Amino acid sequence: MTFFDFHTHHSLLKRSIHNLAEQEDPKPDSYFSVGIHPWNLNEEWEKEFVRVKEFSSLSNCLAIGESGFDRLWGPDLDLQRKVFYEHAKLAYELQIPLILHLVKGHDLLLEYLKSEVRVPQIIWHGFNLKSHMAEQVLDFPISFSFGKAILKSDSNASHWLKKCPIDRVFFETDDSQLSIDSIYKSASVILQLSEEELTLQVRNNWNKISSRKIE
Ligand SMILES: [Zn+2]
């Protein structure tokens, strides 16, 4: 079975969303996501954002991102805020999800969610925080993408996966060298669902929240 990898910096396999690196052009035959990562933000961002907009109009662009907030490695928060809001607006206009990068920025996410009316579907990727952090945002259109942290059964991610509404779940390898199969196998044990059921579930989850569908 081929499992869908919803966020990867490596794989260019058919069933994956490849996050474009800076200066990287998309390949015509593979899915991708495009955005300016908070780590790569500077005052020149508007030039880069022209490119993001251009690529985002391609039908194999499945998501905007990753974009978000990072208090450890990002530039000043006003800039991060401004740029995140632009990414969110673009995702909303295209009706495709935004892949969220969030490090010590929970309050900034909540501030955004509470102040905006037109909130896109957001996929909080690499989630590995306490469950209550996730529960706080369940009133908003937020899903969670689980990666290597669920290989440990006592991780925060594993605990949240068990409780998370099943229609808000996705899986990813992110920047790891793991195979996506290992993530699905682990999720299948945690959720007590077969790999087939999981595969169908995440596909339906995606197609419910995005105007650009997967098969
Ligand atoms: Zn990533």
Side-chain angles (χ1 to χ4, degrees):
M1 196 183 318
T2 2
F3 300 110
F4 203 102
D5 188 343
F6 288 90
H7 177 69
T8 168
H9 295 266
H10 300 300
S11 171
L12 279 164
L13 296 174
K14 273 244 171 307
R15 297 184 62 71
S16 66
I17 301 177
H18 175 73
N19 196 89
L20 289 190
E22 265 188 303
Q23 311 301 326
E24 183 184 0
D25 290 339
K27 312 265 179 303
D29 53 349
S30 54
Y31 294 136
F32 67 95
S33 53
V34 65
I36 313 172
H37 196 291
W39 297 349
N40 302 328
L41 266 188
N42 55 49
E43 295 296 338
E44 304 275 275
W45 70 275
E46 272 163 307
K47 256 190 253 161
E48 179 68 14
F49 198 66
V50 171
R51 196 173 147 270
V52 171
K53 276 193 160 162
E54 193 183 307
F55 288 156
S56 71
S57 66
L58 299 170
S59 62
N60 53 330
C61 174
L62 290 197
I64 299 300
E66 41 189 299
S67 176
F69 303 107
D70 194 320
R71 272 205 172 83
L72 295 185
W73 294 100
D76 82 76
L77 291 178
D78 284 339
L79 181 61
Q80 292 195 43
R81 214 183 257 118
K82 194 195 283 176
V83 178
F84 174 78
Y85 284 44
E86 286 301 316
H87 280 73
K89 208 170 111 196
L90 180 60
Y92 185 86
E93 281 163 10
L94 296 168
Q95 293 290 298
I96 60 176
L98 177 140
I99 295 174
L100 175 72
H101 170 97
L102 194 63
V103 176
K104 300 205 183 295
H106 200 67
D107 55 324
L108 299 167
L109 175 66
L110 284 171
E111 175 190 294
Y112 166 76
L113 293 170
K114 288 176 178 168
S115 67
E116 268 303 314
V117 185
R118 301 167 138 214
V119 175
Q121 292 287 336
I122 292 174
I123 299 179
W124 187 335
H125 103 89
F127 185 86
N128 194 20
L129 299 172
K130 299 272 188 216
S131 296
H132 71 89
M133 303 287 259
E135 278 157 354
Q136 277 179 11
V137 296
L138 280 186
D139 285 345
F140 300 98
I142 297 199
S143 305
F144 302 85
S145 180
F146 297 88
K148 64 173 186 275
I150 63 164
L151 300 184
K152 291 197 186 112
S153 61
D154 63 343
S155 65
N156 288 329
S158 295
H159 288 303
W160 174 238
L161 176 57
K162 239 177 262 176
K163 292 206 264 174
C164 181
I166 190 71
D167 61 351
R168 307 248 195 143
V169 163
F170 296 99
F171 301 108
E172 65 177 38
T173 55
D174 195 16
D175 58 359
S176 75
Q177 299 291 345
L178 292 165
S179 76
I180 190 66
D181 303 37
S182 64
I183 307 289
Y184 277 78
K185 284 195 167 62
S186 185
S188 153
V189 174
I190 292 170
L191 292 170
Q192 304 196 317
L193 289 171
S194 71
E195 290 166 17
E196 284 85 353
E197 285 170 316
L198 267 187
T199 301
L200 269 178
Q201 180 70 52
V202 293
R203 188 186 70 192
N204 292 342
N205 292 352
W206 182 271
N207 289 338
K208 219 170 76 183
I209 64 169
S210 181
S211 67
R212 295 185 185 159
K213 314 288 182 194
I214 58 171
E215 285 183 5

